[in-house]
Amino acid sequence: MAMKDYSDEFKADAVALYESTPGATYKDIAADLGINRATLREWVLRDRDRRGIAPADARQGGTAPARAGQSPASADPDERIRQLEARVAELEASERKLATERDILRKAAKYFAGGDELVSCFQFVHDHRDAYEVKRLCQVLDVNRSSYYKWLAGADAREARRRQDRVLAEEIRRIHAGSGGAYGSPRVTAELRDTGERVNHKRVARVMRTHSIVGIRLRRRVRTTVPDPAATTVADLFQRDFSAPEPGHKYMGDITYLPLAGGEFLYLATVLDCFSRKVVGWSIADHMRTDLVADALRMAAATRGGLDGAVFHSDHGAQYGSRAFAELCSDLGVTQSMGAVGSSADNAACESFHASLKRETLQGAGNFGDPVGCRRTVFAWLTRYNTRRRHSANGHLSPNDYEHRHHTAKLTLAA
């Protein structure tokens, strides 16, 4: 299933892909990305509005309205003067709009400079609503106006919670002082519960963090013998079987290089669902540190709504064998699987996927050019791969269509 909450990075890439594709239409690009046409159009228009560019829908097949200043020059001097005056008025209005946005952003930068986590965008809008329109403030800060009014309606409830938290903080300080400053949130919570206070440990931790109440943290014992993560034995749970009976059970991942002009590289890490070969997670960076593969796995967890109980298969690369990646898998409820050292056949499906990506994007070229163009090209291919590219392993259905047909069949049988 597609992600419902799109990241700012995804939106920016989608807008850049549309703007940089000659002759593109919202319908075609939206279909490639697996999103609604109206959603893509909203992102593009919002980005243009932010940059002060008037909307132009000529690429959608209709006749775009003539921009100010582009109408044919009139032979009548008075008419020409009226046209120029209208153009000047439009430019002045645009300049006022940009000046207002700059002023808002300048004040917002000072407002958030303190790094106070309690300060929100909604609070900024509320504090400056008399100087600017709420609509303009929300547009500049990229927040939903209805969400702001919902936040405003809950002001009394938030104030009541703050009063309760202040009372709780005083009780926590008393317990914390009584322990000689040693107690952290778990022990403070236990003390509160023993006194009959019904309180959640997460709330205690939050209140202590907000009011800078910190327990003593003992240093961990130093281990003189630490196993090398790369040498840790991880079983091969796939045994070269890259199929799965259901989506979300088995995943596989790998890293590939993306050549750039001048002999430089970007690196792509991917996570594929073995059931449909759908790319559920990916990450592009200029390095091959553990963060690269970790970000791809986190995206997969966000796409699928969790990976608890799944198996993730990879090769013995240092990134996948690192302690940090093993801890991430543990946190996500993922069981690791690794093929034999030096055997590409044990991760053949991922190798084949990356070969298809390079073959179809480079099309014989030696490199992707600059990093921006490379990222845009790979982003477009990955999204189209899921939504429209037919896959032989799926009976020549795209991964999304294959999963949709599977879910439909299950619902039919259940009925």
Side-chain angles (χ1 to χ4, degrees):
M1 297 177 65
M3 289 185 290
K4 299 300 182 184
D5 294 324
Y6 299 94
S7 65
D8 292 339
E9 183 180 14
F10 185 97
K11 294 178 183 178
D13 286 337
V15 171
L17 176 62
Y18 171 82
E19 297 283 21
S20 64
T21 305
T25 64
Y26 289 129
K27 181 179 179 181
D28 288 341
I29 298 298
D32 286 348
L33 300 179
I35 62 178
N36 186 276
R37 173 188 176 280
T39 299
L40 176 60
R41 183 175 183 274
E42 180 184 354
W43 294 347
V44 172
L45 294 182
R46 185 185 298 171
D47 182 76
R48 289 178 178 175
D49 182 70
R50 178 182 60 80
R51 292 183 287 133
I53 300 176
D57 291 332
R59 293 200 288 183
Q60 307 312 308
T63 302
R67 294 183 181 178
Q70 292 183 342
S71 57
S74 173
D76 183 357
D78 291 338
E79 179 61 25
R80 180 59 177 163
I81 290 173
R82 282 193 293 271
Q83 291 178 353
L84 291 175
E85 288 176 343
R87 178 58 175 162
V88 169
E90 180 184 352
L91 293 175
E92 288 177 345
S94 178
E95 177 60 26
R96 286 195 299 272
K97 177 182 176 183
L98 291 175
T100 299
E101 291 184 356
R102 286 195 298 268
D103 193 32
I104 291 173
L105 291 174
R106 194 178 300 113
K107 291 182 178 180
K110 295 179 181 179
Y111 195 87
F112 295 108
D116 189 348
E117 294 182 0
L118 296 178
V119 175
S120 68
C121 289
F122 294 148
Q123 188 66 54
F124 177 84
V125 172
H126 187 66
D127 292 345
H128 294 80
R129 68 191 185 282
D130 294 331
Y132 307 97
E133 291 182 351
V134 170
K135 179 180 179 181
R136 174 56 60 191
L137 287 165
C138 290
Q139 286 176 340
V140 173
L141 295 179
D142 196 23
V143 297
N144 193 298
R145 192 161 29 137
S146 62
S147 297
Y148 161 71
Y149 285 118
K150 184 178 179 180
W151 172 88
L152 189 61
D156 291 341
R158 286 195 303 277
E159 180 57 33
R161 284 195 296 272
R162 281 194 288 267
R163 287 196 298 268
Q164 294 170 359
D165 284 350
R166 286 194 290 269
V167 173
L168 178 61
E170 291 303 315
E171 188 66 14
I172 290 174
R173 284 195 181 95
R174 183 187 63 78
I175 294 173
H176 185 258
S179 70
Y183 279 4
S185 61
R187 288 187 171 87
V188 170
T189 303
E191 286 284 335
L192 288 169
R193 288 175 177 173
D194 282 347
T195 62
E197 183 83 26
R198 298 182 61 183
V199 62
N200 185 281
H201 69 93
K202 293 181 180 179
R203 183 187 174 201
V204 172
R206 175 177 57 79
V207 172
M208 291 182 67
R209 185 167 56 250
T210 300
H211 293 270
S212 302
I213 306 172
V214 182
I216 295 175
R217 294 176 178 267
L218 298 178
R219 292 185 179 180
R220 293 184 177 181
R221 295 172 57 188
V222 177
R223 298 178 59 189
T224 56
T225 304
V226 181
D228 183 358
T232 302
T233 301
V234 176
D236 183 354
L237 304 179
F238 272 37
Q239 297 296 320
R240 301 186 182 180
D241 177 11
F242 303 108
S243 62
E246 292 281 342
H249 286 193
K250 295 169 64 178
Y251 297 93
M252 51 188 172
D254 200 4
I255 302 174
T256 191
Y257 69 94
L258 305 172
L260 304 176
E264 297 181 346
F265 299 92
L266 290 181
Y267 301 93
L268 168 69
T270 53
V271 178
L272 280 67
D273 191 309
C274 291
F275 174 77
S276 62
R277 299 296 198 271
K278 178 172 182 174
V279 190
V280 294
W282 72 80
S283 179
I284 301 175
D286 59 358
H287 62 79
M288 286 199 301
R289 296 190 291 272
T290 302
D291 287 346
L292 177 69
V293 296
D295 288 343
L297 193 64
R298 290 190 186 98
M299 179 180 177
T303 302
R304 288 304 199 191
L307 300 176
D308 191 32
V311 177
F312 176 77
H313 183 81
S314 67
D315 59 20
H316 275 270
Q319 300 83 359
Y320 294 111
S322 68
R323 186 185 304 276
F325 189 77
E327 290 175 352
L328 175 61
C329 288
S330 177
D331 292 341
L332 295 175
V334 173
T335 301
Q336 280 190 271
S337 169
M338 288 187 179
V341 177
S343 175
S344 61
D346 286 351
N347 206 18
C350 276
E351 299 278 355
S352 175
F353 169 79
H354 287 153
S356 297
L357 183 154
K358 292 181 182 179
R359 182 174 61 253
E360 296 180 19
T361 52
L362 287 173
Q363 298 182 0
N367 60 73
F368 289 92
D370 61 275
V372 174
C374 174
R375 180 184 179 86
R376 187 175 299 152
T377 299
V378 173
F379 170 79
W381 191 90
L382 290 173
T383 51
R384 184 181 176 86
Y385 173 90
N386 282 340
T387 59
R388 305 181 75 168
R389 187 183 182 278
R390 298 181 183 274
H391 201 296
S392 59
N394 297 339
H396 294 287
L397 293 174
S398 70
N400 280 3
D401 288 340
Y402 189 68
E403 290 193 2
H404 177 72
R405 180 172 294 189
H406 175 75
H407 290 310
T408 302
K410 285 186 64 177
L411 291 175
T412 302
L413 290 174

